[in-house]
Amino acid sequence: MNKVLYWIERSLETFTNKNFIIFVLVFFIGYLFYKRVGWDSGLSPLIQSDSQIKLYQTIEYKVNGLGSHQCYSKYKEFDENYRFYPFRYPWTYFTEKENGEKDCVFQYPSFFSQSFSLLPIPYRFFNGVILLLYLILSFSVILCLFYVFGIQETKILGLGGILYLVGYGISSAIEFSESIPSQLLLLSFFYAVFLLERNEKLTTPLLFFFGLFGGVSVFLRSESIFFIGVLGVFVFFRNRTSLFVFLKKYLPLVFGLVFALILFGFYNYFEFQEIFGVRSRVSFDDFSRLNLSHRFHLVSEFFFGNTDRIGFVFYCFPLILLVFYSILKLKLTYLQKLILYVNLVSFFLVVLLSPYSSGGLYLGLRFTEFSYLLFCIFGISLLGGTIQRTDKSIVMLLILLQVGFGFYHVRRNFKTIDYVKRYHDIFQSKLDNLPDAPVVHLSTFDLLLVSDSFLKKPHWITNSQKEFSALELKFLNAGINKFQVFFYNFKPPKDDNSTEEFYNEWINTKFEIKSKYYKKVSDEVIAGFRFMVWEKE
């Protein structure tokens, strides 16, 4: 047994050499930028699914002002009542006025898109800004380890940075998403609480702004409210015997939090008639319709994955072992217990109460990225304590195993994205071949790879022959000589987030077009998608 422990310790010394850790950290950061440049190069940047909608929302604010919440449409006069508007659930929310006119707003947080609309940079670089924020968030994890837990060894801090960088939160770092900004703000709030629990002195203005950051994070990602709420309950319970001192210490932080909730809540209510925005109304409806079996299915997929996605258990197996080992074998400090138990309770609440599937592609672990961040801080903090040599070796071994698992799964995810990028460029070139020809979709499933083509030319949807006949008549009256048709040529997979009715009405709806005024001049299939060009007879 001693020989085994000696071999493990010598191996760990090799892999935790300061220069080696720094090399791996710098190499991986460079690799991320290399992949980002590759994905954003070519005719169009790689922007998929939800990220597309957030981009269009940003363009709407950039073009028409911060008060314009309408669904972006460069050709609104052609389709005034959104009859052929291609984007539907879960991207848009339609309301109907008394006179029959429709109003359309995107479901996602307006503050994110409004902020990006103010940046004086081309939208092609928006993905790069998110990646930069991810690196800042990674550095903030290191700062938290340094200032809160007093870890000063460069190799341990570097290992903490690597552990977080290769976590499944990277899925949000490589797309145009509000998740990373929200986590950055939320970590600022947690950082303030940790320092206060250590009885550190923070200025009133600084505490106010940390509280403000926590409030804003809730409006970017609704799961933030679970982390803040559970943290508040634990901290309040610990300080319940000295309530006056507790209130005095936390008053500026709480005031900043409440101020943000009232300010942004009032804005949302005034603009969207919902305190947490349109998305909260839709999410509540989605949560209400879930039955027990569907909820069990979503939870099971999160933990164990499916044929297309990795599950939490398989991605974080070493981290799970580390949590059990630390609870059973190690003597934890108050702050370590606080971060661990708050994280565990918040993690399970988010997983159990989320009404949505946990994402797409290979790394389908969404909504709990901040949990992984806290697990990383907790795991690395163990290396800075006064634990026995054997325990330290076991903790280090499990952390290195988690880093290995992370590298493996990130590489698998990037291979999937590279595959998508390859055909994304082919699709974009096809759509761009006829810049004046509108694109017709026969299903919302066809819209996953539209990218920025929607910003360059009209895209419309028809889910039946009757709707297509109405659309082609509008084409004829508008003097359009050619149009393209782009759709998935097989039966689309069932989306866990949509109802059976929506699936049949808007997703599984392709049909063979019959045109009265146009003839088909080309028809080809690429990677399961079908492209057709129709020309006026």
Side-chain angles (χ1 to χ4, degrees):
M1 183 66 179
N2 290 333
K3 289 183 177 180
V4 174
L5 288 174
Y6 175 76
W7 179 83
I8 291 175
E9 288 173 2
R10 290 300 300 270
S11 300
L12 293 178
E13 287 178 8
T14 301
F15 287 106
T16 57
N17 176 274
K18 183 179 75 171
N19 294 331
F20 180 73
I21 290 289
I22 293 175
F23 169 78
V24 172
L25 188 59
V26 172
F27 175 82
F28 190 68
I29 291 174
Y31 179 70
L32 287 177
F33 276 109
Y34 167 75
K35 299 303 292 185
R36 183 73 273 164
V37 171
W39 292 329
D40 286 344
S41 62
L43 188 63
S44 296
L46 182 61
I47 303 176
Q48 308 172 72
S49 190
D50 294 7
S51 296
Q52 294 174 175
I53 307 303
K54 294 164 189 175
L55 172 62
Y56 311 149
Q57 190 178 21
T58 302
I59 299 302
E60 173 68 20
Y61 289 127
K62 186 180 283 287
V63 173
N64 295 316
L66 298 181
S68 180
H69 308 300
Q70 294 295 307
C71 295
Y72 178 79
S73 180
K74 194 175 180 180
Y75 306 92
K76 192 176 296 183
E77 68 282 353
F78 180 87
D79 182 35
E80 294 180 355
N81 212 29
Y82 298 99
R83 179 178 179 180
F84 305 108
Y85 194 73
F87 303 105
R88 307 281 161 161
Y89 177 93
W91 299 303
T92 57
Y93 185 79
F94 291 97
T95 55
E96 191 166 329
K97 301 176 182 177
E98 293 182 359
N99 60 4
E101 290 184 5
K102 278 187 177 180
D103 192 30
C104 173
V105 295
F106 291 128
Q107 287 192 25
Y108 297 102
S110 62
F111 307 125
F112 173 72
S113 294
Q114 286 168 322
S115 299
F116 267 81
S117 71
L118 299 174
L119 296 180
I121 60 174
Y123 64 78
R124 184 181 284 267
F125 298 112
F126 285 175
N127 286 328
V129 174
I130 298 297
L131 178 57
L132 182 61
L133 291 175
Y134 183 64
L135 296 179
I136 293 174
L137 181 56
S138 302
F139 184 65
S140 299
V141 169
I142 294 174
L143 290 179
C144 189
L145 289 167
F146 181 82
Y147 286 108
V148 176
F149 293 96
I151 297 176
Q152 297 184 359
E153 287 186 79
T154 303
K155 66 177 184 180
I156 302 300
L157 294 174
L159 184 60
I162 295 173
L163 179 62
Y164 176 69
L165 274 174
V166 299
Y168 57 82
I170 204 167
S171 291
S172 296
I174 56 178
E175 65 176 26
F176 187 52
S177 166
E178 73 283 355
S179 292
I180 299 301
S182 176
Q183 291 172 49
L184 191 56
L185 296 171
L186 185 57
L187 181 59
S188 301
F189 183 85
F190 268 66
Y191 174 74
V193 173
F194 292 154
L195 290 182
L196 288 176
E197 287 302 288
R198 281 189 52 184
N199 294 317
E200 298 282 345
K201 295 292 184 180
L202 294 173
T203 65
T204 298
L206 194 58
L207 280 175
F208 172 80
F209 279 109
F210 280 139
L212 191 73
F213 294 159
V216 175
S217 72
V218 171
F219 291 97
L220 292 177
R221 297 294 308 183
S222 57
E223 59 265 20
S224 297
I225 201 167
F226 290 103
F227 291 96
I228 293 175
V230 173
L231 178 65
V233 170
F234 271 81
V235 171
F236 179 80
F237 184 79
R238 195 240 181 179
N239 293 274
R240 66 191 184 282
T241 56
S242 53
L243 196 56
F244 179 77
V245 176
F246 168 73
L247 291 175
K248 183 179 179 181
K249 182 167 63 173
Y250 275 90
L251 188 60
L253 184 73
V254 173
F255 183 72
L257 174 68
V258 173
F259 179 78
L261 293 176
I262 293 175
L263 178 65
F264 291 100
F266 178 79
Y267 175 84
N268 270 335
Y269 189 80
F270 180 78
E271 296 291 335
F272 306 106
Q273 290 73 59
E274 292 291 337
I275 293 176
F276 291 106
V278 174
R279 184 67 170 173
S280 65
R281 184 189 312 170
V282 178
S283 297
F284 180 77
D285 291 341
D286 291 336
F287 179 85
S288 302
R289 66 177 170 79
L290 284 185
N291 55 41
L292 192 60
S293 62
H294 193 183
R295 183 168 300 284
F296 178 80
H297 170 73
L298 293 179
V299 173
S300 176
E301 276 202 340
F302 176 85
F303 282 108
F304 302 105
N306 56 30
T307 55
D308 301 313
R309 301 199 301 264
I310 190 69
F312 178 82
V313 171
F314 300 106
Y315 194 105
C316 294
F317 185 67
L319 211 54
I320 294 171
L321 290 180
L322 177 61
V323 169
F324 277 108
Y325 184 81
S326 64
I327 293 175
L328 297 175
K329 297 286 291 182
L330 302 181
K331 186 177 181 180
L332 303 177
T333 66
Y334 162 67
L335 277 182
Q336 287 171 336
K337 290 179 182 178
L338 178 66
I339 194 172
L340 177 61
Y341 297 140
V342 165
N343 193 24
L344 286 175
V345 173
S346 304
F347 172 78
F348 282 106
L349 281 176
V350 171
V351 173
L352 294 174
L353 296 179
S354 173
Y356 300 114
S357 171
S358 54
L361 294 182
Y362 178 75
L363 287 189
L365 293 165
R366 306 303 299 273
F367 318 127
T368 59
E369 295 103 326
F370 193 72
S371 290
Y372 184 88
L373 182 150
L374 293 180
F375 280 132
C376 290
I377 293 176
F378 169 76
I380 298 297
S381 75
L382 297 175
L383 297 175
T386 56
I387 60 175
Q388 295 180 2
R389 183 177 175 183
T390 301
D391 290 330
K392 191 170 186 178
S393 295
I394 292 174
V395 169
M396 181 69 81
L397 178 62
L398 291 173
I399 288 175
L400 289 176
L401 282 175
Q402 183 59 56
V403 169
F405 272 55
F407 273 117
Y408 172 77
H409 291 304
V410 167
R411 182 174 176 271
R412 287 282 304 272
N413 193 49
F414 282 8
K415 286 180 68 176
T416 303
I417 297 172
D418 287 339
Y419 176 84
V420 173
K421 171 63 177 175
R422 175 186 171 191
Y423 288 102
H424 168 272
D425 287 352
I426 295 174
F427 299 149
Q428 291 301 313
S429 65
K430 289 289 183 182
L431 295 176
D432 204 53
N433 278 342
L434 299 172
D436 297 324
V439 183
V440 177
H441 301 271
L442 309 185
S443 160
T444 57
F445 187 79
D446 314 332
L447 298 160
L448 297 176
L449 294 172
V450 167
S451 188
D452 64 347
S453 177
F454 184 70
L455 304 178
K456 303 172 183 175
K457 62 193 301 184
H459 284 251
W460 310 113
I461 191 170
T462 58
N463 59 348
S464 67
Q465 177 60 44
K466 178 183 177 182
E467 288 297 288
F468 172 79
S469 298
L471 179 61
E472 74 161 341
L473 187 59
K474 289 180 74 72
F475 283 166
L476 186 70
N477 294 333
I480 294 172
N481 295 319
K482 288 183 179 181
F483 65 86
Q484 296 169 293
V485 178
F486 169 46
F487 65 93
Y488 187 59
N489 204 33
F490 299 99
K491 183 176 181 178
K494 176 71 170 63
D495 185 354
D496 288 333
N497 296 331
S498 64
T499 63
E500 191 69 31
E501 293 76 17
F502 184 85
Y503 177 77
N504 292 327
E505 183 181 2
W506 289 107
I507 299 177
N508 187 28
T509 52
K510 70 176 184 294
F511 57 93
E512 286 297 328
I513 291 174
K514 297 176 182 178
S515 176
K516 296 179 181 178
Y517 310 106
Y518 295 83
K519 62 180 179 180
K520 183 167 57 177
V521 295
S522 68
D523 190 346
E524 58 183 317
V525 176
I526 302 173
F529 285 86
R530 191 169 166 189
F531 283 96
M532 294 186 287
V533 176
W534 292 72
E535 189 175 69
K536 186 178 176 182
E537 292 185 351

